Amino acid sequence: MEFRDHVYELLNTIDACQCFFNITVNFDFTKSFLDLIVTYASVIIMLSRIDDKKVLVGMYNCAHEMSNGNSEPSYPRLGQMFLEYEQPLKKLTEEFGPHTKVVTEALLSLQMVYPRRNLPVEQWRSAQLLSLLSAPAAMLSPACCDTMACEYLSMDVMERWIILGFLLCHSSLNTNAASQELWKMALRSGLYLTLIRDEVINIHKFSEDYFDGLKGYSKRVADIKECREHVVTNCGAIHREKRHFLRNAVKELYKILEDEPGLLGPKALFVFMALSFSRDEIGWLVRHSENVPKTKTPEDYVDSQIAELLFYMQRLRTLLAKHNSVIQRYHVMYLAQFDSLVINDTIQSMYVCPEEESVLMSSFISILSALSLKQVENGEEFDFKALRLDWLRLQAYTSVSKAALALKEYPDLAKIMNMTQFHTRLMDDIDGLLVEAADISILCYYPRVFEKMFTQGSEDVAMQRYLMAFPMACTHFNQSCHDMCPEEMEEIEKRSLKLCVTFLEEIARQTCTVVLEICAEQCNLNDQLLAKHCADTISRARNKKQKKQMPKKGEVQKEKPGTESQRKDRAIVTNMDRMHLTLSELCTAFSHYPDFTVFNHIVVPAEFLLSQLETRLTKTIVRMANYNQTTHEISRPSDLLAGIRAYTASLHSLSCYINIDMTRLVKCVLLQQTQPLDSQGGQTITTLYTNWYLEGLLRQASNAVIIHCPTMHCFMNQTIENERTFHAEEFSDIVEMQALAELLGPYGLKFLSENLMWHITSQVAELKKLVIENMDTLVQMRAKFDKPETMANLQKKLTGCENVLKRMTIIGVILSFRAMVQDSLGDACDLTRHCPFLMGPIECLRDFLPPDSDVKMTLSVYELASASGLPCDIDPVLVSAIASMRTGHQNNIHCLTTAVNQLSAAMFTVQRKNIEQHLKEFLLVASSTLLQLGQNSERLEAKNRESIYLLLHLIVEESPFLSQDMLESCFPYVLLRNSYREVYKTFIHTLG
């Protein structure tokens, strides 16, 4: 209500003063007046669109009455206002009837501006609009005109003034031909007009509905229908051509100014004109894309190349900010040495100059003439707000009918002051100029159209380098906020950030997709060079040498690696060429802006790409493992390692396109693969290979389907008849173990070892039960090992001997596999090459331990060595596993030696016993028992006696705590020599 009262009070004052309005003379005064009436009309029209306004106001009044005991004082007037404005245009035209003359005068002043700004694109081209190259001799001449501020005035704003203004004062349309012509020109510009943000009106329908109810306006209704038909038929194509022209013109302007930033001084007006024209076309497209009319050419309302126009708008803005000092240096001299002098000459030529106006104009001269280049060099801040406010005050003083100094009689003064105002704004308010000339915050209120534009641009390879313009546009959405509505700031901020993140994630996703496709292709090419594919080549070469029958003509021969690089014609474009082109375009988008700010949030586009690459590369590596839990199939570690190396090499080439740290990314991804789970909680190759080796290889080895071959340092399949699912040696030889160690690293192998130890501890738990069952017998055997007859009787009392042997063999198989992995870790890490002090034996580590060191301290030293890939006398992982429990022969029996040595060392370490002393005691008991066994060759227990002798020899040979001298002191060497001969004979006989 107060706003309405103030508006009409001001309008009555303006009528009483008989103010003069002309956009080309008193620009600020006229613009403020037209904005006032259009804003008021827009508020009333918006109010009429709220269906529940009466209910809302009534509820508010009831709440006020309940809280304060009386009705809201303005409620009756507000209710009456709602009733009066049920038909908003009818009431508004009645109220604006007395003001028709002044409103029409202000609108008709646009005849000098609007038609020139609304020229067809053919005239733009013929005039070489925005081109600095069209007149090379005038390139250094300052760009100026009689209507500086009008050159970047929004077309949407002018059309809103014209259409709503003449609707409010429609009588002039029937009496003034100039008014009618200007009105029809605005009606031909488009179908929709912005009231505020995304609230629009269909100008033809809105106008026609109102004029239909008025007498004497049938011709105006016919004019409206004619204009609407013209818009539907031609307007889409007209604006499409304008956008096409502006893309090239703005790009050319930017390129020239980027190369010669000194031209920003004299040609600053060109920049704001380019920004304003581009802003107008983008706004028109956005409004009409949301409401496409029924037309034969709907493609005119779709522009897949709008990204380029948005991009060069942003680049021009960046150029202005970057070279702001250049603009200031130029215009500080221009203001001091030209504008001030012209103003002074103009004032001197005036025959009437009242005192108050004279004081204002004299202050203009004194302020401008005091400027110097040194102020710019010293970095002083400029503030010309007072000067511009005085100029607005002077416009008001000199635009009333009884003014002693009438501004309309001195157009030269208006011209130079309008130009001076523009120059001062270039000095201290360039951001404000950009808001007026290049505000594209309307995109914030059309998210669906905005996202559709982005999608269309991302599908065009030529536009992909400009895609960063979309998230950059979000940096300007704060310009749509208003101090009178602070509560909407948070909502606009959320919407801006959401759109920005959506665009950046999509650009990063597309880039990541192309990168990984290139990596996959390079991986396939690299795979063709692996040794496993050479058999076919060798076979064909051998057949050719022996002149065997060659393949038939119809048979397709396999191409050799490298054939894809041979090209007979440069015009031939391969899929790899297309992918590299797309990649270069997308990476160019990332290179334009390292970072930018959206509502005080610093956004770094490259981080979105790194995040996407990390997530996608992690999934790709896991997928390359080809693990099938159902069939227990998996890729060989060496194949996976070769693939990862090919991917890594291709990823590092990305640094040639964009400045990102690919080394950090690859290390981060591969380090995650050494953990049981990645950063997203997904499985890694560490988990997959751990599960496969436990369930696929070691489980079959425990059942003697697969045997451990110490000579070949691998596991091998038995030659018995069984269904082979895989060749064990292809997953367990030295090469594969080294590849596994390099893939999993120390962390991954630690996880693998922990899982292996879990299986060992479960076996040890069962062994412990058997020991407890036979405890009395074992104690007696230890005390009477030198009495053969007693030992024979005690041995018969032992139960579960086969079970012990089986479980110890399983432990030995697991420990043998772990030893292979640990040896490979040492080869993969190759620490001794980089750390010479680690070249000594592991025993040297014991020298650093204090004599009274506990198990934890000892264990920590050995774990450090084990994690480094160095061999240890005592397995630290096994010690930890045992401590937490304080509660190639065909049957893998040779693995028993590993189990005995490792388990005994681990157990005695946990018990803090002397390992060497107790192992000597074990050696005495074992040798005595075996010697007694050899006395009777007919006994059942003597079966495979020679193999058992050799097992004892292997235990001593592999133990770091026992020696051959100890063995020979209690067990004759001749028995070992004979055992080797007998076992060898049996082996030859079996083979034969």
Side-chain angles (χ1 to χ4, degrees):
M1 291 298 299
E2 288 80 3
F3 175 61
R4 175 176 177 270
D5 295 340
H6 291 319
V7 167
Y8 284 117
E9 180 183 354
L10 184 56
L11 288 174
N12 291 331
T13 303
I14 290 172
D15 273 350
C17 295
Q18 297 180 10
C19 292
F20 161 73
F21 293 103
N22 190 315
I23 198 75
T24 62
V25 179
N26 49 3
F27 174 84
D28 300 297
F29 194 52
T30 304
K31 180 178 182 296
S32 300
F33 172 70
L34 292 173
D35 282 341
L36 174 70
I37 60 175
V38 168
T39 301
Y40 175 69
S42 298
V43 169
I44 297 300
I45 294 171
M46 284 286 297
L47 189 63
S48 68
R49 291 185 169 190
I50 302 174
D51 297 330
D52 299 328
K53 55 182 177 292
K54 296 178 181 178
V55 176
L56 293 172
V57 173
M59 290 175 63
Y60 173 77
N61 184 61
C62 291
H64 187 279
E65 188 172 355
M66 292 173 65
S67 302
N68 302 286
N70 57 354
S71 298
E72 212 281 330
S74 302
Y75 175 67
R77 287 190 63 205
L78 188 61
Q80 181 63 32
M81 180 182 171
F82 284 169
L83 294 175
E84 292 175 355
Y85 286 97
E86 283 290 338
Q87 295 180 341
L89 271 183
K90 180 179 180 181
K91 181 65 176 176
L92 284 171
T93 53
E94 292 176 1
E95 294 173 340
F96 272 86
H99 313 296
T100 299
K101 180 182 177 182
V102 66
V103 172
T104 302
E105 180 187 17
L107 292 174
L108 287 177
S109 69
L110 292 171
Q111 289 182 105
M112 300 294 294
V113 179
Y114 181 71
R116 178 163 47 83
R117 289 286 307 279
N118 200 24
L119 292 174
V121 71
E122 292 78 14
Q123 295 189 33
W124 281 5
R125 288 196 177 98
S126 61
Q128 296 187 4
L129 186 70
L130 302 177
S131 176
L132 298 180
L133 302 178
S134 59
M139 188 172 288
L140 296 179
S141 301
C144 59
C145 64
D146 295 345
T147 55
M148 295 286 279
C150 296
E151 301 308 313
Y152 53 86
L153 188 60
S154 170
M155 288 287 290
D156 184 43
V157 168
M158 286 192 284
E159 288 162 3
R160 194 182 308 130
W161 289 346
I162 294 169
I163 292 172
L164 291 181
F166 281 125
L167 277 175
L168 298 177
C169 306
H170 53 77
S171 60
S172 63
L173 293 176
N174 285 339
T175 59
N176 192 318
S179 298
Q180 187 181 131
E181 189 62 32
L182 189 63
W183 174 67
K184 289 168 67 176
M185 185 180 295
L187 286 175
R188 292 192 189 100
S189 64
L191 291 170
Y192 297 95
L193 188 69
T194 302
L195 288 177
I196 182 173
R197 295 177 177 171
D198 58 338
E199 290 291 335
V200 298
I201 56 172
N202 187 320
I203 55 178
H204 302 94
K205 184 178 185 303
F206 191 71
S207 303
E208 185 180 348
D209 290 345
Y210 177 63
F211 287 150
D212 270 341
L214 299 178
K215 293 181 180 181
Y217 281 83
S218 57
K219 290 184 178 181
R220 301 292 79 79
V221 173
D223 291 339
I224 293 171
K225 292 180 179 179
E226 179 190 346
C227 292
R228 179 172 56 198
E229 186 64 29
H230 176 272
V231 169
V232 174
T233 306
N234 304 309
C235 214
I238 290 173
H239 285 275
R240 182 194 65 209
E241 290 302 315
K242 283 188 175 183
R243 292 192 301 273
H244 178 70
F245 170 82
L246 285 171
R247 275 195 294 273
N248 296 322
V250 175
K251 180 179 180 179
E252 177 189 299
L253 179 64
Y254 168 73
K255 293 294 184 182
I256 294 172
L257 294 177
E258 181 188 35
D259 189 56
E260 295 292 341
L263 292 175
L264 281 170
K267 302 300 182 184
L269 180 62
F270 275 47
V271 176
F272 289 97
M273 289 173 62
L275 291 172
S276 177
F277 293 171
S278 302
R279 180 267 322 273
D280 291 338
E281 292 307 315
I282 290 172
W284 188 94
L285 180 64
V286 168
R287 292 194 302 274
H288 289 78
S289 294
E290 186 74 3
N291 306 279
V292 178
K294 294 181 179 179
T295 176
K296 295 179 180 179
T297 56
E299 62 275 7
D300 290 340
Y301 297 87
V302 176
D303 192 347
S304 62
Q305 298 180 325
I306 199 69
E308 186 176 4
L309 189 57
L310 282 169
F311 174 78
Y312 282 110
M313 284 183 68
Q314 183 61 39
R315 295 303 283 177
L316 284 175
R317 296 179 68 123
T318 305
L319 208 61
L320 288 173
K322 181 179 179 181
H323 299 291
N324 186 37
S325 60
V326 173
I327 299 172
Q328 287 187 337
R329 288 172 65 90
Y330 181 87
H331 285 95
V332 73
M333 301 302 295
Y334 200 101
L335 287 166
Q337 299 179 12
F338 181 82
D339 289 342
S340 63
L341 299 178
V342 176
I343 293 172
N344 185 54
D345 292 343
T346 305
I347 294 174
Q348 296 299 326
S349 65
M350 295 170 62
Y351 54 86
V352 176
C353 191
E355 182 180 357
E356 189 171 356
E357 285 83 348
S358 178
V359 171
L360 286 175
M361 289 187 285
S362 298
S363 68
F364 298 161
I365 299 171
S366 61
I367 292 172
L368 298 177
S369 59
L371 296 173
S372 67
L373 190 60
K374 186 175 290 186
Q375 291 175 280
V376 179
E377 295 173 348
N378 294 337
E380 294 184 20
E381 295 289 335
F382 295 94
D383 190 355
F384 295 100
K385 292 179 182 177
L387 186 148
R388 293 192 290 270
L389 186 59
D390 284 344
W391 168 230
L392 177 59
R393 188 180 294 116
L394 184 62
Q395 292 178 55
Y397 290 167
T398 58
S399 297
V400 296
S401 61
K402 296 181 180 181
L405 175 64
L407 187 60
K408 62 183 177 182
E409 296 178 2
Y410 296 96
D412 290 341
L413 176 62
K415 172 186 173 183
I416 185 60
M417 284 306 302
N418 286 331
M419 184 169 65
T420 301
Q421 175 173 269
F422 175 70
H423 292 160
T424 60
R425 296 191 70 182
L426 288 172
M427 295 289 292
D428 69 339
D429 190 31
I430 199 165
D431 291 336
L433 280 174
L434 287 172
V435 171
E436 291 182 17
D439 181 21
I440 52 174
S441 59
I442 187 177
L443 294 169
C444 179
Y445 303 100
Y446 289 91
R448 192 179 68 85
V449 174
F450 196 26
E451 291 174 352
K452 184 179 179 182
M453 288 178 172
F454 173 80
T455 303
Q456 292 166 349
S458 64
E459 293 171 353
D460 188 346
V461 177
M463 290 295 109
Q464 288 174 341
R465 62 169 51 214
Y466 306 122
L467 289 180
M468 199 55 65
F470 289 93
M472 283 298 298
C474 300
T475 62
H476 309 303
F477 289 171
N478 59 340
Q479 296 171 1
S480 65
C481 300
H482 199 281
D483 294 337
M484 295 182 68
C485 297
E487 63 276 4
E488 70 177 4
M489 177 77 75
E490 184 178 353
E491 182 61 32
I492 295 176
E493 178 180 354
K494 289 180 180 178
R495 182 179 295 184
S496 303
L497 288 171
K498 180 182 178 182
L499 286 169
C500 179
V501 170
T502 300
F503 295 144
L504 287 173
E505 286 182 344
E506 179 60 23
I507 298 171
R509 187 195 66 79
Q510 291 188 20
T511 308
C512 186
T513 299
V514 176
V515 169
L516 293 181
E517 285 178 357
I518 292 174
C519 290
E521 186 66 24
Q522 292 291 347
C523 184
N524 291 335
L525 296 176
N526 183 74
D527 183 75
Q528 295 176 17
L529 299 176
L530 296 180
K532 63 182 182 180
H533 296 297
C534 68
D536 184 60
T537 304
I538 295 173
S539 176
R540 281 190 279 112
R542 185 170 179 272
N543 291 339
K544 184 177 180 181
K545 187 176 180 180
Q546 295 181 357
K547 298 181 180 180
K548 290 188 176 181
Q549 185 178 1
M550 300 301 291
K552 298 179 180 179
K553 291 184 178 180
E555 186 176 347
V556 179
Q557 294 188 11
K558 186 178 180 181
E559 293 184 345
K560 292 182 179 180
T563 307
E564 71 285 344
S565 300
Q566 298 175 0
R567 215 175 307 192
K568 295 181 180 180
D569 188 356
R570 277 182 171 273
I572 297 176
V573 179
T574 64
N575 185 46
M576 186 67 84
D577 294 334
R578 296 188 188 93
M579 288 193 291
H580 276 287
L581 175 61
T582 304
L583 179 60
S584 63
E585 294 293 308
L586 289 168
C587 288
T588 302
F590 282 100
S591 302
H592 290 306
Y593 296 98
D595 58 76
F596 52 86
T597 304
V598 179
F599 278 92
N600 299 322
H601 296 267
I602 298 177
V603 180
V604 183
E607 289 300 319
F608 286 82
L609 176 58
L610 287 171
S611 177
Q612 287 269 1
L613 279 172
E614 179 182 334
T615 303
R616 303 266 305 266
L617 183 59
T618 299
K619 294 179 180 178
T620 299
I621 291 176
V622 172
R623 191 165 57 250
M624 287 167 63
N626 296 321
Y627 179 62
N628 188 322
Q629 191 173 6
T630 305
T631 61
H632 290 294
E633 295 177 352
I634 199 168
S635 297
R636 294 166 58 186
S638 59
D639 291 345
L640 178 58
L641 181 60
I644 291 176
R645 283 174 174 167
Y647 264 76
T648 303
S650 297
L651 285 171
H652 279 295
S653 66
L654 186 61
S655 301
C656 301
Y657 296 95
I658 183 173
N659 185 25
I660 58 175
D661 190 353
M662 290 306 304
T663 302
R664 178 174 67 90
L665 170 70
V666 172
K667 286 183 177 179
C668 177
V669 171
L670 294 182
L671 186 60
Q672 289 184 44
Q673 293 301 310
T674 66
Q675 305 298 319
L677 299 174
D678 60 25
S679 59
Q680 304 296 324
Q683 285 190 329
T684 62
I685 58 175
T686 293
T687 304
L688 299 182
Y689 276 105
T690 297
N691 293 339
W692 187 85
Y693 276 101
L694 284 172
E695 301 298 329
L697 190 142
L698 293 180
R699 184 175 294 278
Q700 295 190 46
S702 301
N703 297 326
V705 176
I706 294 174
I707 60 171
H708 175 245
C709 180
T711 306
M712 301 294 293
H713 295 282
C714 67
F715 284 84
M716 300 181 69
N717 296 82
Q718 282 275 39
T719 56
I720 58 177
E721 294 183 1
N722 66 313
E723 184 181 352
R724 287 189 183 180
T725 55
F726 64 94
H727 294 278
E729 61 273 15
E730 293 182 357
F731 290 84
S732 60
D733 61 14
I734 295 176
V735 173
E736 298 303 327
M737 289 293 100
Q738 289 177 347
L740 181 67
E742 190 167 347
L743 287 171
L744 273 55
Y747 292 119
L749 293 184
K750 180 177 182 294
F751 176 76
L752 174 61
S753 296
E754 289 172 352
N755 279 269
L756 293 174
M757 291 308 140
W758 182 87
H759 286 272
I760 290 177
T761 52
S762 64
Q763 298 297 328
V764 171
E766 296 300 320
L767 289 173
K768 186 176 179 181
K769 295 177 182 178
L770 293 172
V771 170
I772 293 172
E773 290 178 7
N774 296 276
M775 181 62 73
D776 294 338
T777 305
L778 292 172
V779 170
Q780 293 180 46
M781 291 180 70
R782 179 183 177 186
K784 301 177 181 180
F785 69 89
D786 54 347
K787 298 179 179 179
E789 295 180 359
T790 305
M791 287 290 291
N793 294 329
L794 291 174
Q795 187 178 354
K796 294 178 181 179
K797 294 181 181 181
L798 291 175
T799 59
C801 295
E802 291 294 330
N803 199 357
V804 170
L805 195 62
K806 181 179 179 181
R807 295 189 182 280
M808 286 295 291
T809 303
I810 292 174
I811 293 173
V813 168
I814 297 174
L815 289 175
S816 298
F817 173 74
R818 184 176 183 277
M820 293 166 56
V821 174
Q822 282 296 114
D823 291 343
S824 301
L825 176 62
D827 296 336
C829 295
D830 198 9
L831 285 177
T832 57
R833 182 172 57 188
H834 303 288
C835 307
F837 63 87
L838 288 177
M839 291 182 68
I842 194 62
E843 286 81 357
C844 66
L845 292 175
R846 298 200 199 104
D847 298 338
F848 295 96
L849 295 173
D852 58 343
S853 60
D854 59 6
V855 175
K856 289 185 178 180
M857 184 179 296
T858 306
L859 189 60
S860 64
V861 174
Y862 279 99
E863 282 185 344
L864 175 63
S866 178
S868 303
L870 296 175
C872 300
D873 298 344
I874 304 172
D875 192 326
V877 181
L878 184 58
V879 172
S880 299
I882 297 298
S884 64
M885 285 182 60
R886 291 197 175 191
T887 63
H889 293 255
Q890 290 185 351
N891 56 359
N892 283 320
I893 196 63
H894 57 284
C895 297
L896 187 66
T897 60
T898 304
V900 170
N901 281 318
Q902 296 288 354
L903 275 179
S904 59
M907 289 179 173
F908 293 142
T909 300
V910 172
Q911 298 294 333
R912 303 187 67 179
K913 298 293 181 65
N914 189 310
I915 302 174
E916 186 174 333
Q917 179 181 345
H918 282 77
L919 283 178
K920 284 182 180 179
E921 186 175 343
F922 163 77
L923 186 60
L924 290 173
V925 174
S927 59
S928 174
T929 304
L930 290 178
L931 288 173
Q932 294 169 18
L933 183 66
Q935 291 178 0
N936 189 353
S937 58
E938 297 179 358
R939 292 171 59 182
L940 182 63
E941 294 86 346
K943 185 180 179 183
N944 294 325
R945 179 180 55 193
E946 289 78 10
S947 298
I948 299 174
Y949 290 167
L950 296 183
L951 277 177
L952 181 62
H953 181 241
L954 287 175
I955 290 173
V956 175
E957 193 174 51
E958 294 182 8
S959 173
F961 305 99
L962 298 175
S963 64
Q964 292 296 328
D965 292 340
M966 295 179 187
L967 179 61
E968 290 183 11
S969 66
C970 59
F971 194 86
Y973 183 75
V974 66
L975 292 178
L976 294 175
R977 185 178 60 196
N978 293 336
S979 298
Y980 273 112
R981 185 174 61 250
E982 292 298 325
V983 170
Y984 180 72
K985 286 181 179 179
T986 306
F987 178 70
I988 295 297
H989 177 72
T990 304
L991 288 179

